[in-house]
Amino acid sequence: CNNIMDIVDVPPPNAIDHHSSVSSISPRTMGKKKIVLGVCAMDKKSRSKPMAEILSRLDPFLFEIIIFGNKCILEDNVEDWPVVDVLIAFYSGGFPLNKAESYVALRNPFVLNDLGMQRTLMDRRKVYDLMEASGIDVPRHVYMSRDGYTSRGSGQG
C-alpha cells in the first residue's frame, strides 16, 4: 500500500505557508506528533468535493491525512494497509466492509464511525427495528424474509 496511498495535505485558507518562520507556528502544535487520519473509502467517495471540503477544515499542523486508494482497499491485504491513529470508513458499492472490519481488529485505530452499524444500514428491516426500539416512528411496513430474519418490531409504524 505504501506506494499507492496518497498523503493529502489540504491546508485551510488561513494556514501559514511552509516558508513561514517557526515562531509563527502555534505553540500548541510545536513538538507534538500529528494525528494520522485514514480515509478508507472507494476513490469516488474519498476524492469527492464534499470529502475535500471536510478534509480542508482539519488543521494541517494537527492532522496527516492518508487516503486509502481503490487499489489498496481492493487488492492489498489489510496487513499491508497504512497504520493510522484514526480511521473513517464509508461503505459504498464494491467496498469490502469485511476487510475494513478486519483492519480495525488488527490495528485497533480510533474509529469515527461504527462499521458494524454500516452493515445494519444496508438492511431496511434492521433499520426499522432499530428505529422502533429507539422510539422513532416508522411507516407501516411489510416485508418478506427469505433469509430467516425475524423482526423485533411491530411493523405498525
Side-chain angles (χ1 to χ4, degrees):
C1 256
N2 290 335
N3 59 342
I4 55 93
M5 70 180 171
D6 293 325
I7 297 178
V8 179
D9 210 1
V10 184
N14 60 349
I16 58 175
D17 69 34
H18 299 296
H19 302 293
S20 297
S21 67
V22 174
S23 62
S24 65
I25 297 174
S26 167
R28 66 183 172 87
T29 60
M30 290 292 294
K32 291 185 180 178
K33 178 184 172 279
K34 285 186 178 184
I35 297 167
V36 180
L37 170 67
V39 178
C40 184
M42 301 302 284
D43 283 341
K44 184 175 181 178
K45 194 169 278 199
S46 64
R47 299 177 192 290
S48 68
K49 286 183 182 181
M51 181 63 72
E53 179 63 29
I54 292 167
L55 297 179
S56 73
R57 294 172 186 249
L58 298 175
D59 185 340
F61 296 109
L62 293 178
F63 293 95
E64 176 182 336
I65 301 165
I66 299 176
I67 297 178
F68 298 15
N70 280 3
K71 183 180 182 308
C72 178
I73 294 170
L74 297 174
E75 298 175 16
D76 294 344
N77 294 322
V78 294
E79 295 82 8
D80 299 325
W81 288 11
V83 177
V84 298
D85 302 315
V86 179
L87 182 76
I88 186 164
F90 295 103
Y91 177 83
S92 61
F95 181 80
L97 189 54
N98 289 339
K99 281 180 84 173
E101 290 171 326
S102 296
Y103 174 82
V104 169
L106 176 69
R107 301 290 186 208
N108 198 30
F110 182 84
V111 182
L112 291 179
N113 53 341
D114 186 340
L115 295 178
M117 189 57 68
Q118 290 190 41
R119 189 174 307 287
T120 299
L121 291 173
M122 291 188 283
D123 188 331
R124 184 182 313 231
R125 303 166 305 177
K126 293 177 182 177
V127 171
Y128 278 4
D129 284 350
L130 181 62
M131 291 173 69
E132 283 190 58
S134 300
I136 300 169
D137 289 336
V138 298
R140 287 187 62 198
H141 56 279
V142 175
Y143 54 82
M144 179 177 287
S145 177
R146 291 188 170 100
D147 61 0
Y149 179 79
T150 304
S151 173
R152 296 181 308 259
S154 67
Q156 297 300 312

